[in-house]
Amino acid sequence: MFEATVSTALRGVRIGRERWAALGVGTRDGVLAVLLAPVVFAPLTAPVGAEFGDLPTRPYDLPGLLLTAALWLPLTVRRRWPGACLAVIATAFAIRELAGYPATFASVGLYVALYGVGAHGAWRDRGAGTAGDHGDGDHGDGDHGKGIRGRDVRGEDVRGEGARGRGVPPVTRGEGARGQGVPPAARDEGARGQGAPPVVGVGVGVVVASVLYVLFAIGLHGRGSPQGISDFVLIYAVLACCWAGGRAVRSWRAAEEGRRRAGVEAAMARERARIARELHDVVTHHVTAMVVQADAAQFVLADAPDRVATGLEAISDSGRRALTDLQHLLGVLNASGAGREGDRAPAPSPGTLGELVAHTRAAGQPVRLTEHGERRPMPSAVELAAYRVVQEALTNALKHAPGHPTHVQVRYGHEEIEVEVTTEPAPARGAVPAPRRAPVRGGGHGLVGLRERVGVFGGELRAGAAADGGFAVLARIPAGGGA
């Protein structure tokens, strides 16, 4: 019973926080100011208020009541228009002090307004909005967790130029921070602690505020205030600390925003690299097989036209396999999650190496497959990595050593899976010689990408010339995925 009560209470708190966060900052500031008004205007809290001049007091009248209200109610827009909020409150405070109205707790609104200018002041960097400039109330205190204005931090709408509408998930679109969902300030100010206002603008504001404070102090002295110079200096220091506190919070938010942006960009770069590797592995193998088969068909067209039909059938089969693999890849990359999981083709694994070898053999490459040990369940990512190693090695054999016998060996161990693909230095007898054409070039994602893929799991990949003059690719991948 007690646990159910606590769970219900926590759920209610969570729902309340979510609804509160869904309100705009202007609405939240207004609600807080109104709710606290009975406390700050109560006679009981009046002695706690700020009083700088210690002048003889006068009774309240209508102007005094209006000035007192002006000390607190403008805080409803402290984040929407922080400068105007401070101007109204500071003016009301100065007039009240010079007029000698009684102290009130509402005078602490001056401290809050100073903090608001430091934290949310509408500074501009050559026309670009900054991290702390939220005149439209996008976020402020308790709202900065939403990240960069727009939707880039969540990865919901970072689209780049050239990836839109191509099946690439939103988080992977774009080039760094050049997505359309990133505001100019987010693009231009990242490396400079984005959102820091110009030094000149801050300096001018400080000078103007200091001059006005000096005039205010002179006015109080002229009205007979007993405060000395040291007292006014101390009061000035307290006011400066309120503003500096806001500036410190603003700088901290800007740094956090920069770190979030850097994390998003790093994740986008990793995702782009992963997609590039997947596309390379899927497309290059099938396209290479199709090119080799087409070249071989042209070569035997005059001497053995009956073999052309076999070659065309193999090309058609390669194209269908390429489409199937691409559909699986796009299904995995589908960020919207549309489509049922059961509708997608299964991911390649060592269990489908027989089909891969048969397909490569149909392309004219003499390949044989040997498996050692008992195949045990392992993470799908490990199985996919082993499959891609064999696929890439066979693709390279098709491109660089067509007709050369190739041997694929897979060894299943208790702790790792070992894949070895060796290509002999001489072509097999009776193999159709490959016509001399421009080599099929890859995009640089082959063996380098495989090393990265295998290295993720703590494995290793070696590729190079074999002792007999052929070529060998050897990969060892921990069966547990490096966990």
Side-chain angles (χ1 to χ4, degrees), residues 218-297:
I218 293 174
L220 289 177
H221 180 73
R223 292 277 296 168
S225 172
Q227 306 285 10
I229 295 178
S230 60
D231 298 318
F232 287 117
V233 171
L234 179 60
I235 295 172
Y236 179 85
V238 171
L239 297 176
C241 286
C242 293
W243 175 84
R247 291 298 310 146
V249 171
R250 179 192 184 110
S251 299
W252 175 78
R253 287 178 186 160
E256 285 294 312
E257 190 171 279
R259 283 190 287 269
R260 285 196 300 270
R261 182 182 296 108
V264 169
E265 293 177 358
M268 291 169 61
R270 289 193 299 269
E271 187 69 8
R272 285 195 299 269
R274 185 182 72 84
I275 293 173
R277 287 196 301 267
E278 291 291 340
L279 287 175
H280 174 274
D281 294 339
V282 169
V283 175
T284 303
H285 174 78
H286 296 295
V287 172
T288 299
M290 294 167 68
V291 171
V292 171
Q293 291 159 353
D295 289 345

Side-chain angles (χ1 to χ4, degrees), residues 20 24-26 28-29 32 75-82 85 116 120 132 134-137 139-143 253:
W20 176 257
V25 292
R28 282 183 284 166
D29 288 343
L32 285 176
L75 293 178
T76 56
V77 295
R78 68 182 182 89
R79 280 183 285 186
R80 189 177 296 275
W81 299 299
C85 174
H120 314 292
H134 306 296
D136 54 1
H139 62 270
D141 284 340
D143 199 36
R253 287 178 186 160

Side-chain angles (χ1 to χ4, degrees), residues 83-105:
C85 174
L86 176 61
V88 172
I89 292 178
T91 301
F93 184 88
I95 296 175
R96 285 187 84 263
E97 286 292 304
L98 292 172
Y101 286 107
T104 175
F105 186 65

Side-chain angles (χ1 to χ4, degrees), residues 11 68 225-226 308 319 408:
R11 184 163 55 252
T68 302
S225 172
V308 175
V408 178

Side-chain angles (χ1 to χ4, degrees), residues 46-188:
V48 188
E51 188 175 8
F52 293 176
D54 287 339
L55 296 176
T57 60
R58 56 185 292 182
Y60 274 114
D61 51 17
L62 180 59
L65 294 175
L66 294 176
L67 290 173
T68 302
L71 292 177
W72 184 258
L73 297 182
L75 293 178
T76 56
V77 295
R78 68 182 182 89
R79 280 183 285 186
R80 189 177 296 275
W81 299 299
C85 174
L86 176 61
V88 172
I89 292 178
T91 301
F93 184 88
I95 296 175
R96 285 187 84 263
E97 286 292 304
L98 292 172
Y101 286 107
T104 175
F105 186 65
S107 58
V108 299
L110 176 65
Y111 302 140
V112 179
L114 281 168
Y115 169 87
V117 167
H120 314 292
W123 304 100
R124 296 284 179 179
D125 276 340
R126 297 181 180 180
T130 62
D133 177 17
H134 306 296
D136 54 1
D138 280 349
H139 62 270
D141 284 340
D143 199 36
H144 61 277
K146 295 182 180 178
I148 305 169
R149 247 181 85 187
R151 290 176 288 173
D152 50 328
V153 165
R154 299 180 185 175
E156 293 176 3
D157 198 21
V158 184
R159 300 186 179 94
E161 308 170 356
R164 288 176 289 177
R166 299 186 185 178
V168 183
V171 73
T172 64
R173 300 174 193 156
E175 301 175 8
R178 293 173 51 200
Q180 295 177 347
V182 184
R187 297 181 218 144
D188 301 334

